[in-house]
Amino acid sequence: MFNYTETEQQVAEFLLQIKAIKLQPNNPFTWASGWKSPIYCDNRITLSHPSIRTYIRQRLSALIQEEFGAVGCIAGVATAGIPQGALVAQELGLPFVYVRAKAKEHGRGNLIEGDVLTGKRVVVIEDLISTGKSSLQAVEALRDAEYDVAGLAAIFSYGFDVATENFKEARCPFFTLSNYGALLKYAEEHQYILPADVELLKQWRSNPENWGQ
């Protein structure tokens, strides 16, 4: 049986160790959306660390088998979900495709790259879930191409309520290896953050759009 608690804490540890996640509650980042954020996450850094890359590949593969059972294809979301998805597809011995943010403007004008296998039961791989909108655009593209989307798996989620609602509305179950709550727990216990900063970090998750203004 897939051990979520153990996996959440181990992934949180890895992401903090290699600085794929940085926590700066008193010197926040500014996202492209304009939101102020005490956290920055770049899971592409995991690809440069073979042992961590292997752990994530194996855990995502085990999660898929646990939650979705037999599937016929893995799809990565451009761009950061592409390498993670390809690694998982290799681990499971499955075909792989990836979904562009928008269709190519030349050549065949593809939105989905790879050998499109109509009717296949597919799991979508993403590196990070924030609001879920870009991930669900990929889900919609796959459904339009007549794939049977079983759901989505990702490395990390900020745990926003809006993401939960968006996935629920799209009728797309999703699971992640770790999440913001597990990260804060590990970060506090291992002195990555001060106890005084915990409440500030929790406030951001509950109202990210207006935090820090």
Side-chain angles (χ1 to χ4, degrees):
M1 187 171 183
F2 192 90
N3 188 325
Y4 275 100
T5 301
E6 179 183 309
T7 301
E8 286 170 357
Q9 290 296 292
Q10 183 62 78
V11 170
E13 177 183 351
F14 284 150
L15 296 180
L16 286 165
Q17 277 181 353
I18 64 175
K19 296 182 172 56
I21 282 182
K22 294 182 179 180
L23 293 168
Q24 295 181 185
N26 298 304
N27 184 25
F29 302 94
T30 301
W31 287 359
S33 62
W35 289 8
K36 297 292 183 182
S37 169
I39 181 173
Y40 188 80
C41 181
D42 183 0
N43 290 326
R44 288 168 292 195
I45 293 173
T46 64
L47 298 167
S48 299
H49 298 265
S51 62
I52 295 174
R53 182 180 70 212
T54 297
Y55 182 85
I56 288 172
R57 181 192 79 221
Q58 292 174 340
R59 290 289 81 201
L60 282 171
S61 299
L63 185 154
I64 288 167
Q65 292 174 318
E66 173 83 10
E67 300 293 350
F68 300 114
V71 297
C73 184
I74 299 296
V77 180
T79 59
I82 295 174
Q84 304 292 354
L87 288 166
V88 170
Q90 181 68 21
E91 179 79 8
L92 295 174
L94 293 174
F96 175 73
V97 298
Y98 71 85
V99 186
R100 292 176 171 273
K102 62 179 182 178
K104 286 175 67 174
E105 296 178 355
H106 58 277
R108 294 185 296 167
N110 291 349
L111 181 57
I112 300 172
E113 296 287 3
D115 192 0
V116 179
L117 306 167
T118 300
K120 284 284 187 181
R121 190 164 185 262
V122 63
V123 169
V124 181
I125 299 293
E126 183 64 282
D127 75 318
L128 174 67
I129 302 296
S130 53
T131 65
K133 287 185 178 180
S134 60
S135 304
L136 289 170
Q137 286 176 355
V139 168
E140 183 179 355
L142 289 160
R143 286 173 171 167
D144 288 344
E146 299 184 8
Y147 280 88
D148 175 14
V149 179
L152 182 143
I155 298 172
F156 189 81
S157 169
Y158 292 126
F160 295 152
D161 291 339
V162 66
T164 301
E165 289 302 314
N166 286 339
F167 276 93
K168 182 178 179 181
E169 185 177 340
R171 297 181 181 178
C172 179
F174 77 102
F175 301 88
T176 63
L177 297 185
S178 194
N179 55 70
Y180 191 67
L183 178 83
L184 290 191
K185 181 176 184 293
Y186 185 89
E188 182 180 13
E189 290 175 353
H190 294 83
Q191 290 80 53
Y192 281 91
I193 52 175
L194 298 172
D197 291 330
V198 174
E199 188 56 38
L200 189 65
L201 288 159
K202 288 180 178 179
Q203 289 172 1
W204 172 77
R205 198 211 67 81
S206 64
N207 189 15
E209 188 173 359
N210 297 311
W211 185 87
Q213 295 184 6

